Amino acid sequence: MASSKKPIVKVQEGNRVAQEDQPAKIESESLSRSNELDQMREKLEHRKLLMGKMSMRSKVVKEKVRKQEERLSGEIRSLLVGGSSISVANKRMQDSSRLLAGEKGYGHLKNLQKSLRLRQQYMVTQVTLLYPVKVVVRKSSEQELESFRSSIKSGVPDGSKPLDQGTLTISGLHLTVVSFTKMSFFTDKKEVQRSSTALGYVAHAVSLISSYLQVPLRYPLRLGGSRSFIRDYSPSVELSASSTSLDTVISTSSKPVEFPLFIEGQDSTRAAYAVFLLNKDLEQLLNFIGVKSVGPRHILANLKELTLTVLSQEYIDM
């Protein structure tokens, strides 16, 4: 009977030891789970921070997207308005092109311009008939210089020597400018009178042509036949009887100064300056039609070149 009781005691002791170890085991598991919970909380907090940052970034991105959408919407509206404006402008341009191409458009303007220049040619033709400029080829005869334009450009006519004032005549009169600057007791008075008359013819022709071309002369003329004058507005040139050249004292004046296109009873230097101004008017008319002047001492040559250019076909096609 003693042998049967020993195992029972051992079992009881084992149960008691197991009961004593159970709280320690529970505590250990509790600590482990608590640590796990702490780690999970840390991970959760970290994820919350990440989510907060991502949420802020998302809000910033959404705001940027919203502003960009607004900007794009504004640009789209501007493009639509611009497209409408371009469409309207294109339609107006097409309408204008049709008007210009029509009977009252550019073609009509060209026709009017051609008619005007034809009329100008007719009027200048009358001037050339009234004051014909001819070239003397022999002492016994005069004829029109047909190849005058090519002669002027080359500086030498079909003969050999250069064309000068002694070669040309206007209405049969020679224009001798040298006598205007070198007057003396022995100067031929009839030659001076003829030159004054010739200058009056040139002045009248220049005045008529300028009115036909509608070009106001820089130096206006006061016509009086062989006693014509030319005006210089600014600056005015004061010339004395003792002057030997045009390099004189220049003073500014509000009133125009008249210079005689003749010598008789006048200072020769003032008359020479008047001839210089008359040639300047011719240069102005030549420049207006796109032609260069022959030179400062070639009044009749410049007048001839002016009339030939106006009467040419190139003038109509300008």
Side-chain angles (χ1 to χ4, degrees):
M1 292 292 295
S3 58
S4 61
K5 288 181 180 180
K6 286 181 181 181
I8 295 173
V9 173
K10 288 182 179 180
V11 171
Q12 290 177 350
E13 287 179 355
N15 290 336
R16 183 173 55 81
V17 171
Q19 289 177 356
E20 290 177 355
D21 292 339
Q22 190 173 3
K25 192 180 290 186
I26 291 172
E27 184 176 359
S28 175
E29 290 178 356
S30 177
L31 287 173
S32 176
R33 290 181 179 179
S34 177
N35 291 334
E36 289 179 356
L37 287 174
D38 290 339
Q39 291 177 357
M40 292 177 68
R41 287 193 189 98
E42 289 179 359
K43 290 181 180 180
L44 182 61
E45 291 295 329
H46 181 66
R47 290 185 177 181
K48 284 183 178 180
L49 290 174
L50 289 177
M51 291 296 293
K53 290 180 180 180
M54 291 178 67
S55 178
M56 290 297 296
R57 290 178 181 176
S58 176
K59 290 181 180 179
V60 171
V61 171
K62 284 182 180 180
E63 184 66 19
K64 287 182 178 179
V65 170
R66 185 185 64 81
K67 291 181 178 180
Q68 191 169 5
E69 286 179 350
E70 291 178 356
R71 182 176 61 80
L72 289 175
S73 298
E75 290 180 354
I76 290 172
R77 286 192 296 269
S78 299
L79 288 174
L80 291 174
V81 173
S84 301
S85 301
I86 290 174
S87 178
V88 173
N90 187 35
K91 187 177 183 301
R92 289 178 179 175
M93 185 178 68
Q94 291 177 354
D95 294 339
S96 300
S97 299
R98 282 194 295 269
L99 289 174
L100 285 174
E103 295 181 353
K104 296 183 178 180
Y106 181 72
H108 181 61
L109 177 63
K110 290 291 290 184
N111 290 333
L112 287 178
Q113 188 179 41
K114 184 177 181 180
S115 299
L116 174 62
R117 291 189 172 178
L118 287 172
R119 181 63 177 173
Q120 290 173 341
Q121 280 190 341
Y122 173 77
M123 300 302 291
V124 172
T125 301
Q126 302 306 307
V127 175
T128 59
L129 294 176
L130 183 62
Y131 300 114
V133 177
K134 298 180 180 180
V135 59
V136 178
V137 293
R138 290 190 182 91
K139 291 183 179 180
S140 59
S141 63
E142 295 178 354
Q143 68 176 23
E144 293 289 345
L145 184 60
E146 300 296 340
S147 58
F148 188 82
R149 184 178 304 279
S150 61
S151 303
I152 290 299
K153 292 181 179 179
S154 63
V156 179
D158 293 340
S160 58
K161 64 179 182 179
L163 191 68
D164 55 24
Q165 291 296 331
T167 310
L168 293 170
T169 62
I170 180 168
S171 296
L173 296 177
H174 287 276
L175 174 58
T176 307
V177 182
V178 177
S179 61
F180 278 53
T181 56
K182 295 182 180 181
M183 281 287 292
S184 68
F185 180 78
F186 300 100
T187 302
D188 187 354
K189 298 296 187 284
K190 290 185 179 181
E191 181 182 354
V192 172
Q193 291 176 357
R194 286 193 294 268
S195 294
S196 299
T197 304
L199 281 175
Y201 292 162
V202 173
H204 191 201
V206 169
S207 178
L208 290 174
I209 295 174
S210 67
S211 65
Y212 300 153
L213 299 183
Q214 298 180 340
V215 179
L217 293 175
R218 187 174 291 110
Y219 304 104
L221 295 158
R222 183 164 69 85
L223 301 176
S226 61
R227 294 295 182 269
S228 298
F229 291 83
I230 191 166
R231 296 170 181 169
D232 186 9
Y233 278 84
S234 177
S236 62
V237 180
E238 297 178 353
L239 301 169
S240 62
S242 60
S243 298
T244 58
S245 67
L246 297 179
D247 298 329
T248 56
V249 178
I250 296 179
S251 61
T252 303
S253 173
S254 58
K255 295 182 179 180
V257 178
E258 287 190 342
F259 295 92
L261 287 166
F262 57 94
I263 300 179
E264 188 175 352
Q266 302 290 332
D267 176 18
S268 61
T269 308
R270 291 174 64 85
Y273 185 69
V275 174
F276 172 78
L277 294 182
L278 179 60
N279 195 65
K280 283 296 181 182
D281 283 342
L282 279 166
E283 287 183 5
Q284 179 187 356
L285 295 175
L286 286 168
N287 292 334
F288 177 75
I289 60 176
V291 180
K292 290 184 178 181
S293 169
V294 178
R297 296 184 180 273
H298 295 79
I299 290 181
L300 293 183
N302 282 330
L303 179 59
K304 186 68 174 178
E305 180 69 6
L306 175 64
T307 56
L308 282 178
T309 303
V310 174
L311 297 178
S312 66
Q313 183 61 37
E314 289 80 2
Y315 181 74
I316 300 295
D317 300 332
M318 283 177 62

